[in-house]
């Protein structure tokens, strides 16, 4: 387990944490608003979790999606759980904008807009997210 | 709506269908076992769904993951919901193998193993999945 990145690192700035998972703000200049939810325990696949834990983490993904939509008004939300290189359950939640670095490809795909720079509005929304995430998350049913 | 691919096409061979979604076998020769769950109604984001519908479709994703793991014993399961080009809720569920076409990248990433050919065992598992999916799905709690 000591070789697992998410077992030995929080993975970024923790915006919220409970007994099951933590929510991390990803410092990726091209993608303000990028969040990652990381399971605290080392578990490889989502289907290794109980349905109850699985639903808890999934509803947290959806709450993150709602917060991102509220703050960033993105063109689309992208969700993914891969773990080929770090097989420790985690979710990527990424706001996407027309004309962003890879749009309409997934962020793991080919760059389509190499000149892209996130707008000031988006960068400000990211700062708002860092400041207000916890209260916005807890306010969601 | 008529311009939405998933509103005008089932999207492949339907292995299971209910009032909320359909489960499709993807005919992608490099990725036997690739499943897609498509919402029947046109909805852009998962967070537009009720929690109840959202959990129903998510638990179906997890059931697909369990069936794929049982039949294919993959190295890893990859899940994703993007919709940048087709903004109609759908999930990708993809079994991944060490040495497959893009491993360890996501299947939307760079090709790493251009010579990859799925094994006979994997191709047979795909046929088993086509034949038995419905009963395996219904057998899961």
């Amino acid at each position: 387990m000591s070789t697992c990145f998410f077992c030995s690192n929080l993975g970024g700035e923790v915006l919220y944490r409970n007994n099951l998972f933590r929510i991390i703000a990803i410092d990726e200049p091209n993608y303000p608003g990028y969040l990652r939810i990381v399971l605290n325990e080392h578990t490889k696949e989502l289907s290794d979790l109980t349905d109850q834990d699985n639903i808890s983490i999934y509803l947290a993904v959806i709450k993150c999606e709602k917060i991102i939509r509220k703050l960033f008004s993105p063109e689309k939300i992208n969700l993914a759980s891969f773990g080929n290189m770090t097989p420790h359950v985690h979710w990527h939640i990424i706001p996407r904008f027309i004309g962003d670095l890879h749009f309409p490809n997934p962020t793991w795909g080919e760059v389509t807009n190499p000149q892209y720079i996130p707008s000031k509005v988006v960068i400000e929304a990211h700062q708002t997210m860092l400041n207000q995430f916890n209260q916005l998350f807890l306010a969601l049913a």
Side-chain angles (χ1 to χ4, degrees), chain A residues 57-112:
Chain A
I57 196 167
Y58 180 66
L59 289 179
V61 170
I62 297 303
K63 286 182 186 178
C64 287
E65 177 172 316
K66 287 178 178 173
I67 290 169
I68 292 171
R69 291 179 72 186
K70 178 188 174 77
L71 296 178
F72 294 82
S73 300
E75 175 64 21
K76 192 67 190 69
I77 294 285
N78 285 184
L79 304 180
S81 180
F82 299 130
N84 302 328
M85 287 187 268
T86 308
H88 174 136
V89 164
H90 61 282
W91 279 101
H92 305 273
I93 306 137
I94 313 169
R96 302 299 308 279
F97 299 91
I98 293 172
D100 76 23
L101 194 62
H102 302 82
F103 201 88
N105 294 329
T107 60
W108 293 269
E110 196 175 345
V111 168
T112 48

Side-chain angles (χ1 to χ4, degrees), chain A residues 95-134:
Chain A
R96 302 299 308 279
F97 299 91
I98 293 172
D100 76 23
L101 194 62
H102 302 82
F103 201 88
N105 294 329
T107 60
W108 293 269
E110 196 175 345
V111 168
T112 48
N113 300 294
Q115 309 302 325
Y116 172 67
I117 297 172
S119 70
K120 194 177 167 197
V121 169
V122 164
I123 291 167
E124 285 172 356
H126 184 75
Q127 194 56 51
T128 302
M129 188 182 75
L130 297 183
N131 295 339
Q132 299 182 7
F133 185 86
N134 200 278

